[in-house]
Amino acid sequence: MPKSREWHLVARPHGWPTPEDFALVETEPGEPGPGEILVRNLYVSVDPYMRGRMNDAKSYAAPYELNQPLQGGAVGEVVASGAEGFAPGDHVLHFAGWREYAVVNAKTSVKVDGSLAPLSTYLGVLGMTGLTAYAGLLRVGGFKEGDAVFVSGAAGAVGGQVGQIAKLKGASRVIGSAGSDEKVKLLIEEYGFDAAFNYKNGPVAEQLAQAAPDGIDVYFDNVGGEHLEAAIGALNLRGRAVICGMIAQYNATEPTPGPRNMVKILQNRLRVEGVLVGDHYDLQPQFVQEVGGWVREGKLHYRETVVEGIENNVEAFLGLLRGENTGKMIVKL
């Protein structure tokens, strides 16, 4: 059997994670048992939500265990199978990432077809992040034609897709925020946003007011903090805020204050709701059909930031937290 390298969490980060919180360990994955498959990972995902799982705190997903392999989305090739319906050479999506080889339960794996779309897209635009954008905007956000939409973290894997879906579905105006002038240019020139701004260039509320003088109807939140407060102030009567992520406070060491203008939720009868992709897997067939068609037709664009080598998995994750990615952050093994 092949040797495999895998990343373990060896210390729980306090504030920003450091490389010393992780260890690259060599193991032997073993033979697959009945109902299992041995997969050689080709692409693994790093995502903001993983930071929360590094804390020993109750949340919607169990904390990562210390001195055990980290988990995350991955696409790989089956090299040995003990499961009916899976054969060597098949490509599968599963959740035993952060490692070179993995023995996984076939029931938790899904076959993917590299002839229909690049394998890496099943971790991003056609994967969990894409479904999060689709379900969050259309179902949780109750988007309807003519709505004005504001997306924070709009150059990320989820945010960029939210804005484009809104445009394809008939939004009256789509505004995005990002952390660099280069990303702002991407949002407008490639993704088709009507307006975008660099949140580092001034107060978010002021820049949002200039970009959306008539207010907004849907806010898709990937950031929290100042962005959420600004959006609450800009939401029109019966507006909706979809809370997907709060990367601005993931590494905070003290509790962060909430928005100071929450009275607006009452005054404007706003609806604020969180979105977790696991609640919306029933939309998967519809999502793949519709979004896959847009991708094939060139109507929906996506970017990937690809880091080479399992040895750089942690640096890719830290880079994601620093905002160094454009689109989906992926590690190619």
Side-chain angles (χ1 to χ4, degrees):
M1 296 303 294
K3 298 280 188 181
S4 177
R5 290 176 294 171
E6 60 187 30
W7 282 101
H8 290 195
L9 184 69
V10 296
R12 299 205 181 275
H14 181 69
W16 282 86
T18 68
E20 290 72 31
D21 296 323
F22 307 87
L24 187 59
V25 178
E26 185 172 274
T27 66
E28 293 184 5
E31 296 276 1
E36 295 180 331
I37 52 178
L38 175 62
V39 181
R40 178 174 67 87
N41 285 335
L42 303 173
Y43 298 94
V44 301
S45 176
V46 292
D47 301 280
Y49 80 88
M50 294 174 173
R51 175 62 187 87
R53 295 191 67 186
M54 293 173 187
N55 298 330
D56 188 12
K58 185 176 181 180
S59 185
Y60 60 86
Y64 289 131
E65 295 183 33
L66 292 179
N67 302 306
Q68 294 294 322
L70 290 153
Q71 299 169 337
V75 171
E77 180 181 355
V78 176
V79 294
S81 175
E84 185 177 350
F86 291 83
D90 288 343
H91 291 117
V92 295
L93 170 67
H94 62 92
F95 291 94
W98 290 76
R99 68 201 83 179
E100 292 175 304
Y101 287 84
V103 173
V104 297
N105 187 327
K107 291 182 179 179
T108 63
S109 305
V110 178
K111 285 187 182 181
V112 294
D113 190 343
S115 68
L116 299 178
L119 291 173
S120 60
T121 62
Y122 292 100
L123 295 175
V125 65
L126 296 180
M128 185 175 69
T129 51
L131 181 58
T132 300
Y134 188 86
L137 177 68
L138 301 181
R139 175 180 279 176
V140 179
F143 173 85
K144 58 186 183 297
E145 186 176 354
D147 279 345
V149 178
F150 171 45
V151 187
S152 60
V158 174
Q161 204 154 339
V162 170
Q164 291 182 81
I165 292 171
K167 290 292 291 185
L168 288 163
K169 290 285 189 178
S172 61
R173 188 166 179 79
V174 175
I175 305 103
S177 71
S180 73
D181 294 341
E182 182 181 4
K183 290 179 179 180
V184 167
K185 183 178 179 181
L186 167 73
L187 294 178
I188 294 173
E189 295 184 0
E190 186 171 327
Y191 289 177
F193 282 55
D194 296 291
F197 60 85
N198 181 346
Y199 67 86
K200 297 177 182 177
N201 287 346
V204 173
E206 293 180 10
Q207 296 194 77
L208 178 58
Q210 292 176 357
D214 297 322
I216 58 175
D217 302 297
V218 179
Y219 171 50
F220 198 101
D221 189 16
N222 293 301
V223 176
E226 183 186 0
H227 277 80
L228 179 56
E229 182 173 298
I232 288 174
L235 279 163
N236 295 322
L237 186 68
R238 303 195 189 283
R240 289 85 70 201
V242 180
I243 310 302
C244 179
M246 294 196 169
I247 197 167
Q249 63 191 59
Y250 284 165
N251 297 302
T253 57
E254 299 292 337
T256 53
R260 296 166 295 181
N261 58 347
M262 292 182 70
V263 68
K264 291 283 188 180
I265 297 174
L266 169 63
Q267 293 171 342
N268 287 335
R269 281 81 90 198
L270 307 180
R271 180 163 59 83
V272 180
E273 185 175 346
V275 58
L276 294 180
V277 69
D279 295 336
H280 304 284
Y281 283 138
D282 62 298
L283 290 177
Q284 180 79 16
Q286 173 185 326
F287 156 72
V288 170
Q289 180 179 15
E290 188 164 27
V291 175
W294 288 333
V295 171
R296 286 190 296 274
E297 295 165 14
K299 294 180 178 178
L300 192 148
H301 303 272
Y302 67 94
R303 290 284 192 96
E304 295 175 338
T305 299
V306 180
V307 174
E308 300 268 354
I310 187 69
E311 63 277 7
N312 295 314
N313 215 121
V314 167
E315 185 52 40
F317 173 67
L318 298 178
L320 174 75
L321 295 181
R322 293 191 293 259
E324 294 174 0
N325 60 302
T326 299
K328 179 66 182 167
M329 179 72 91
I330 292 172
V331 179
K332 181 180 180 182
L333 307 190

